[in-house]
């Protein structure tokens, strides 16, 4: 059965980007986000930065890099290769959309790091990423009429099962209600970004992904600055060169590049599909942990990875099939 009961019409905003390319963009973004976890682990260990300061520098660095990319693009008078909008947004709506996206991004990041501190990485990850597809599917159904068929529902259930096995398979996680509530709050922020981007894309008002990412990170950095100052904004002097290299990577590939591609892909894909494909993030994080950080490959890691990737592949196939003309 089809992922949805009706194929949404292509709008001027989405006509320039195919479903297949949108899937590739989201897969790349999720894979890059998985590398950010490993980089953050190294920075937490050696840099003296806490979660708010680290997130501030990630957002501020991404803002600066995207601002430079925007300047280079304007000098060359060439459109960004991931631009999906073919119509001009009303200025008022563009401001509201960017402010809402920036606020959602801040909520997503800040609540997640607080959840990790409260209940641990494993539980925070499985609750945030696990509840995301459910919340997004519900919101997409209520706001846009996007409906999962039996195949899509089975793929979402399989993805959640694979994620649970992958993250909680070790059996050592401690569940704390306050941490779970923070993780759900993080999922609300993530879900809001995804649904808003899809809703805007269907109406030809998704905006330029580069500009959306640029101003969203600027808002995120401003909102996080007070908490980062209170926590300790500056990294330790020891090993500052290594810290700057890691922060540079964190601000570029999994932030500036990944989010610009994510916003482009999210504008042309069904919201539930985006949320499930993004579950590749813990898979890439697990691969890096085993191959580069010396963590042990467990049976749960292997089984969870296989289940999760199979579910993502099935949902991507459903999305591509639904987008093909009859």
């Amino acid at each position: 059965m089809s992922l949805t009961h009706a194929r949404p019409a292509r709008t001027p905003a989405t006509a320039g980007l195919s479903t297949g390319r949108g899937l590739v963009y989201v897969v790349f973004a999720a894979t890059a986000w998985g590398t950010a976890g490993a980089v953050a682990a190294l920075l937490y260990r050696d840099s003296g930065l806490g979660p708010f300061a680290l997130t501030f520098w990630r957002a501020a660095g991404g803002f600066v890099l995207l601002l430079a990319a925007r300047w280079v693009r304007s000098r060359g008078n060439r459109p960004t290769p991931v631009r999906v909008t073919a119509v001009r947004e009303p200025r008022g709506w563009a401001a509201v959309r960017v402010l809402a996206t920036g606020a959602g991004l801040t909520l997503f990041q800040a609540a997640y790091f607080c959840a990790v501190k409260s209940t641990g990485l494993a539980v925070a990850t499985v609750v945030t990423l696990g509840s995301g597809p459910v919340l997004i599917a519900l919101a997409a159904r209520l706001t846009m009429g996007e409906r999962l068929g039996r195949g899509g529902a089975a793929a979402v259930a399989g993805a959640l099962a694979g994620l649970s096995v992958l993250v909680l398979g070790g059996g050592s996680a401690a569940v704390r209600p306050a941490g779970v509530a923070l993780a759900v709050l993080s999922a609300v922020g993530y879900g809001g970004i995804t649904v808003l981007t899809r809703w805007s894309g269907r109406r030809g008002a998704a905006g330029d992904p580069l500009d959306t990412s640029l101003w969203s990170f600027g808002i995120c950095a401003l909102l996080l600055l007070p908490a980062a100052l209170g926590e300790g904004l500056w990294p330790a002097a020891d090993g500052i060169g290594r810290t700057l290299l890691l922060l540079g990577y964190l601000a570029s590939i999994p932030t500036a590049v990944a989010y610009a591609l994510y916003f482009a892909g999210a504008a042309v894909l069904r919201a539930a599909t985006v949320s499930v494909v993004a579950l590749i993030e813990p898979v890439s994080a697990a691969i890096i942990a085993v191959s580069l950080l010396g963590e042990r490959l467990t049976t749960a890691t292997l089984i969870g990875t296989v289940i999760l990737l199979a579910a993502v592949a099935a949902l991507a196939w459903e999305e591509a099939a639904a987008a093909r003309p009859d």
Side-chain angles (χ1 to χ4, degrees):
M1 182 176 290
S2 173
L3 176 68
T4 61
H5 295 282
R7 182 184 302 121
R10 304 288 282 183
T11 69
T14 63
L17 187 67
S18 68
T19 297
R21 182 172 292 184
L23 285 167
V24 171
Y25 285 175
V26 175
V27 167
F28 178 90
T31 303
W33 292 338
T35 70
V39 172
L42 294 173
L43 287 167
Y44 286 149
R45 186 176 64 189
D46 300 325
S47 71
L49 293 173
F52 287 116
L54 180 59
T55 307
F56 166 81
W57 287 118
R58 179 183 185 181
F63 175 80
V64 170
L65 290 173
L66 287 167
L67 189 63
R70 190 173 188 265
W71 179 81
V72 170
R73 188 184 71 184
S74 66
R75 295 279 292 180
N77 198 27
R78 292 189 300 270
T80 175
V82 298
R83 187 178 181 90
V84 297
T85 298
V87 296
R88 180 177 293 274
E89 287 182 278
R91 183 169 297 179
W93 165 248
V96 170
R97 178 182 55 78
V98 170
L99 286 171
T101 302
L105 181 65
T106 305
L107 177 62
F108 171 36
Q109 298 287 334
Y112 175 72
F113 281 121
C114 290
V116 170
K117 184 176 181 180
S118 175
T119 195
L121 178 62
V123 174
T125 300
V126 76
V127 173
T128 298
L129 295 182
S131 58
V134 177
L135 294 174
I136 289 170
L138 178 61
R141 179 70 180 95
L142 293 175
T143 60
M144 296 177 287
E146 292 188 353
R147 301 167 61 187
L148 288 174
R150 292 180 182 176
V156 171
L160 297 181
L163 178 66
S164 300
V165 173
L166 174 64
V167 178
L168 301 178
S172 59
V175 178
R176 295 182 175 85
V180 171
L182 286 166
V184 172
L185 189 62
S186 175
V188 170
Y190 166 60
I193 294 170
T194 302
V195 173
L196 175 61
T197 303
R198 174 59 173 160
W199 186 87
S200 301
R202 285 169 61 101
R203 285 154 180 77
D208 185 334
L210 189 150
D211 284 345
T212 298
S213 302
L214 168 68
W215 299 117
S216 295
F217 282 122
I219 293 167
C220 181
L222 286 175
L223 292 176
L224 286 173
L225 181 57
L229 287 169
E231 184 181 65
L233 183 62
W234 303 106
D238 292 341
I240 188 64
R242 180 172 180 269
T243 296
L244 291 177
L245 285 175
L246 291 173
L247 285 174
Y249 172 80
L250 187 64
S252 56
I253 304 303
T255 303
V257 175
Y259 273 95
L261 293 177
Y262 175 80
F263 285 127
V268 300
L269 300 174
R270 292 174 178 85
T273 300
V274 172
S275 66
V276 172
V277 173
L279 295 181
I280 290 175
E281 176 184 349
V283 174
S284 65
I287 292 172
I288 291 172
V290 171
S291 60
L292 299 180
L293 302 181
E295 295 190 10
R296 186 169 57 92
L297 179 62
T298 65
T299 301
T301 300
L302 185 60
I303 293 175
T305 298
V306 170
I307 295 174
L308 186 53
L309 288 178
V312 169
L315 197 56
W317 182 87
E318 288 267 6
E319 180 76 35
R324 285 196 294 265
D326 294 328

